[in-house]
Amino acid sequence: MQTRPPLRELGLNSGKKARLHRILFDHGLGNGTAFFLPYDQGLEHGPRDFFANPQASDPAYIVKLAVAGGFNGIAIQIGLAEKFYWDYAGQIPLILKLNGKTDIPSDAEALSPVHASVEDAVRLGADAVGYTLYVGSPAQEADFAQYRKVREDAHRFGMPLIVWAYPRGAAIAAKGGNDSFYAVDYAARVASELGADVVKVNFPHPEKTTAVKPAYQAEFSSQQAIDAVVRSANRTLVLVSGGEKAGDEAMLLKARQAMEAGGLGLIFGRNVWQRPYDESLRFVDSLKEILAAHPSE
């Protein structure tokens, strides 16, 4: 089992360290693990994601669910933060997403434009900001440029920066796909090299080897793959995404392997709020039992 680095070894300034400490030790299980509820899918995918549970289309329902479930934080876009978060400000940390796009255009040259600032996050009482970085997209020059400004502002304001490191683009699609071991491993490393404090990744699929680099064509288990992704992120803490809704056993296995690899925790959205309210909370309790077994400093 790999261990995650403690906060004192992450090279954080005092503002970032204070906010991360508040997220990890004053909320959730309070044991240094993280369980976040993301709710940026309305912009990223459209209202179709709410069809499975129509109540989930109401942001107030989601914030209430996050508080009741004892999450470490909720990740939302600025419009929802300004209209709904204030009812629960101080009760649960806010991760303000600073960029986002719709899924209407092709992802062949994906770019997620910035539409909020670190200053907005400070004004709203956020404890972290989130930025989606499309690794491998032909638009990466523009992506890296707008990311640099976000990174500099996050450092200046002492705001932890969580990077949604998502492989995208035609070249990625031709080399194993967005969630291949090759692509996810590369994305984790890019986020670390570009100064992310925390990186959100999809769970890697080592069986997806079409046209990937030779080093990734060997046989790897799922555990070996996620172990390697966490190593590639080194002193950038790793969150594993839930992705599309799947069966309980598959999600619990993903959670166990992520934590065994030394991950910071989980960021599950659709797998939580696409269920009825009571079922959501029961599922959250099962995931928190896994997190409870992996405390850190």
Side-chain angles (χ1 to χ4, degrees), residues 182 209 211-220:
Y182 161 69
T209 58
V212 301
K213 298 296 183 180
Y216 293 90
Q217 292 177 0
E219 288 191 12
F220 296 95

Side-chain angles (χ1 to χ4, degrees), residues 37-235:
L37 187 65
Y39 188 62
D40 56 343
Q41 291 85 352
L43 172 62
E44 298 287 343
H45 306 152
R48 62 186 168 88
D49 276 358
F50 310 131
F51 285 12
N53 177 19
Q55 284 184 295
S57 66
D58 179 3
Y61 170 87
I62 296 296
V63 182
K64 177 184 175 183
L65 179 64
V67 173
F71 282 82
N72 293 81
I74 183 169
I76 52 179
Q77 302 283 359
I78 187 166
L80 302 189
E82 291 183 329
K83 292 179 174 68
F84 295 93
Y85 177 69
W86 59 270
D87 280 332
Y88 295 92
Q91 296 182 50
I92 186 166
L94 168 65
I95 298 97
L96 183 67
K97 281 300 301 293
L98 302 185
N99 64 339
K101 69 170 188 61
T102 71
D103 74 349
I104 299 170
S106 167
D107 271 350
E109 298 187 20
L111 177 67
S112 186
V114 170
H115 48 65
S117 68
V118 179
E119 289 186 11
D120 288 323
V122 173
R123 171 176 56 84
L124 290 166
D127 279 311
V129 293
Y131 181 96
T132 296
L133 184 73
Y134 287 130
V135 176
S137 170
Q140 69 180 12
E141 183 177 354
D143 204 350
F144 285 11
Q146 63 178 19
Y147 170 78
R148 177 183 176 182
K149 174 66 164 58
V150 168
R151 187 192 70 234
E152 290 173 346
D153 287 347
H155 182 78
R156 181 161 55 95
F157 284 103
M159 186 69 67
L161 174 56
I162 303 174
V163 170
W164 274 235
Y166 286 167
R168 288 292 188 275
I172 290 291
K175 296 182 177 69
N178 297 344
D179 58 356
S180 70
F181 176 24
Y182 161 69
V184 174
D185 200 27
Y186 207 152
R189 186 69 189 198
V190 169
S192 175
E193 300 243 357
L194 293 184
D197 300 311
V198 182
V199 58
K200 176 192 178 187
V201 296
N202 289 314
F203 198 92
H205 286 262
E207 74 279 7
K208 296 186 176 183
T209 58
T210 302
V212 301
K213 298 296 183 180
Y216 293 90
Q217 292 177 0
E219 288 191 12
F220 296 95
S221 68
S222 295
Q223 188 65 64
Q224 288 172 324
I226 189 61
D227 286 350
V229 169
V230 173
R231 283 197 302 272
S232 292
N234 50 80
R235 288 186 175 176

